[in-house]
């Protein structure tokens, strides 16, 4: 939102501004996780050899590279599922505690999009609805709206690992499409780091999670006692006096901060000013 607001000003005010995102993967990148999760890992395998089998058995967690910058998952912090059965849509909505009718978006190989959707074009940010061709709609019921449209994300070389996974699925099933929805629970922001991804996987009892191209098979679900997403904003509400004093000098609580962030009236006040706090 901040980048968009800045660009809006520049485009309105300066005639020769040019700006282009090379891709949406501008967020944080993680390679490590807490040792406490080792107890829940049955095996680790590097590669996509089992990818098709995994996705045919049920939704999988997919965590790769830098997080997406934007309002939705674009294949780096995602739940992926088989588009060929309506059960995938039902299961994804159950996992995320969403209403049964909530749609699930497709990711599709960029090279195959025009063969599956009418009047389609490159849509890397999942912002465009295309109508599926009549001879294809029975093949992918999980990704269709009631009017036979889908909010499509095309995938090319900007996401090489996801592109590779799609090609493997396409070669095996003749379907160049996979269900994709954001990796987060009800009321939770899109997951950022690996600890949060493991927390989600274990709470939802999802057996397979891919992390940066490695396949983790999980176990001991009954031993995991967390029932909620991991806390965010730890730095803002840190117990470290040095950090919290600098960022949150007058010690407002998480509840007060939430109220502040969601109230237009309170935005007139400054939580770094003692009198206004």
């Amino acid at each position: 939102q901040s980048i968009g607001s800045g660009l809006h000003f520049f485009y309105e005010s300066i005639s020769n501004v040019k700006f282009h995102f090379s891709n949406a993967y501008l967020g944080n990148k993680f390679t490590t996780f807490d040792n406490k999760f080792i107890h829940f890992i049955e095996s680790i395998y590097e590669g996509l050899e089992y990818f098709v089998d995994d996705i045919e058995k049920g939704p999988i967690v997919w965590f790769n590279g830098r997080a997406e910058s934007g309002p939705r998952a674009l294949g780096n912090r995602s739940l992926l599922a088989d588009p060929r059965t309506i059960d995938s849509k039902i299961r994804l909505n159950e996992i995320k505690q969403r209403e049964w009718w909530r749609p699930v978006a497709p990711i599709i190989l960029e090279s195959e999009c025009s063969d599956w959707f009418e009047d389609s074009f490159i849509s890397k940010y999942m912002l465009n609805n295309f109508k599926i061709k009549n001879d294809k709609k029975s093949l992918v019921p999980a990704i269709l709206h009631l009017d036979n449209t889908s909010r499509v994300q095309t995938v090319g070389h900007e996401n090489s690992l996801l592109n590779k996974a799609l090609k493997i699925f396409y070669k095996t099933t003749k379907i160049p499409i996979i269900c994709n929805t954001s990796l987060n629970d009800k009321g939770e922001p899109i997951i950022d780091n690996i600890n949060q991804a493991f927390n989600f996987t274990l709470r939802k009892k999802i057996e397979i999670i891919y992390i940066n191209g490695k396949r983790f098979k999980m176990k001991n679900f009954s031993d995991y006692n967390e029932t909620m997403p991991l806390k965010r904003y730890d730095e803002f509400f840190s117990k470290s006096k040095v950090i919290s004093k600098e960022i949150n000098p007058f010690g407002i609580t998480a509840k007060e901060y939430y109220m502040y962030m969601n109230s237009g009236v309170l935005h007139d006040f400054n939580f770094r000013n003692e009198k206004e706090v």
Side-chain angles (χ1 to χ4, degrees), residues 102-119:
R102 292 281 288 274
V104 173
I107 49 176
I108 184 171
L109 285 170
E110 196 172 278
S111 59
E112 305 301 319
C113 192
S114 61
D115 288 340
W116 284 74
F117 294 95
E118 297 177 3
D119 302 318

Side-chain angles (χ1 to χ4, degrees), residues 126-194:
M126 201 188 286
L127 294 172
N128 305 102
N129 277 354
F130 303 139
K131 188 170 184 178
I132 198 163
K133 292 186 175 181
N134 284 331
D135 62 329
K136 298 291 199 297
K137 61 184 180 181
S138 63
L139 302 177
V140 285
I143 55 92
L144 297 180
H145 303 158
L146 291 179
D147 61 357
N148 291 320
T149 63
S150 294
R151 192 180 68 192
V152 175
Q153 176 194 353
T154 57
V155 176
H157 297 296
E158 73 285 342
N159 191 322
S160 58
L161 189 65
L162 188 62
N163 184 279
K164 184 177 180 181
L166 277 163
K167 285 181 177 178
I168 291 170
F169 189 77
Y170 184 30
K171 183 178 180 180
T172 304
T173 67
K174 310 304 181 188
I175 306 292
I177 294 171
I178 295 176
C179 297
N180 174 32
T181 189
S182 58
L183 184 58
N184 62 307
D185 206 352
K186 184 177 182 180
E188 180 186 19
I190 293 179
I191 279 168
D192 188 31
N193 64 42
I194 297 173

Side-chain angles (χ1 to χ4, degrees), residues 13-187:
S13 305
I14 305 172
S15 59
N16 62 349
V17 169
K18 291 184 179 180
F19 180 88
H20 176 69
F21 276 119
S22 58
N23 58 63
Y25 309 111
L26 305 174
N28 293 316
K29 182 177 181 179
F30 298 93
T31 57
T32 61
F33 53 86
D34 288 348
N35 287 335
K36 68 180 182 181
F37 290 110
I38 292 174
H39 172 70
F40 302 98
I41 298 171
E42 179 176 314
S43 63
I44 304 174
Y45 179 85
E46 186 158 6
L48 300 176
E49 182 179 342
Y50 301 105
F51 177 78
V52 176
D53 288 340
D54 290 335
I55 211 167
E56 285 182 334
K57 292 175 183 175
I60 64 170
V61 172
W62 182 267
F63 181 107
N64 181 54
R66 292 190 177 278
E68 299 87 339
S69 176
R72 59 184 57 90
L74 296 173
N76 274 9
R77 302 291 187 273
S78 290
L79 275 168
L80 303 181
D82 191 334
R84 297 172 295 171
T85 168
I86 198 68
D87 289 342
S88 291
K89 175 183 173 181
I90 293 170
R91 181 67 182 127
L92 288 172
N93 283 331
E94 286 175 347
I95 289 171
K96 296 187 61 170
Q97 302 183 70
R98 304 194 307 187
E99 298 87 351
W100 64 270
W101 48 264
R102 292 281 288 274
V104 173
I107 49 176
I108 184 171
L109 285 170
E110 196 172 278
S111 59
E112 305 301 319
C113 192
S114 61
D115 288 340
W116 284 74
F117 294 95
E118 297 177 3
D119 302 318
S120 62
F121 46 84
I122 292 175
S123 175
K124 294 183 182 295
Y125 299 99
M126 201 188 286
L127 294 172
N128 305 102
N129 277 354
F130 303 139
K131 188 170 184 178
I132 198 163
K133 292 186 175 181
N134 284 331
D135 62 329
K136 298 291 199 297
K137 61 184 180 181
S138 63
L139 302 177
V140 285
I143 55 92
L144 297 180
H145 303 158
L146 291 179
D147 61 357
N148 291 320
T149 63
S150 294
R151 192 180 68 192
V152 175
Q153 176 194 353
T154 57
V155 176
H157 297 296
E158 73 285 342
N159 191 322
S160 58
L161 189 65
L162 188 62
N163 184 279
K164 184 177 180 181
L166 277 163
K167 285 181 177 178
I168 291 170
F169 189 77
Y170 184 30
K171 183 178 180 180
T172 304
T173 67
K174 310 304 181 188
I175 306 292
I177 294 171
I178 295 176
C179 297
N180 174 32
T181 189
S182 58
L183 184 58
N184 62 307
D185 206 352
K186 184 177 182 180

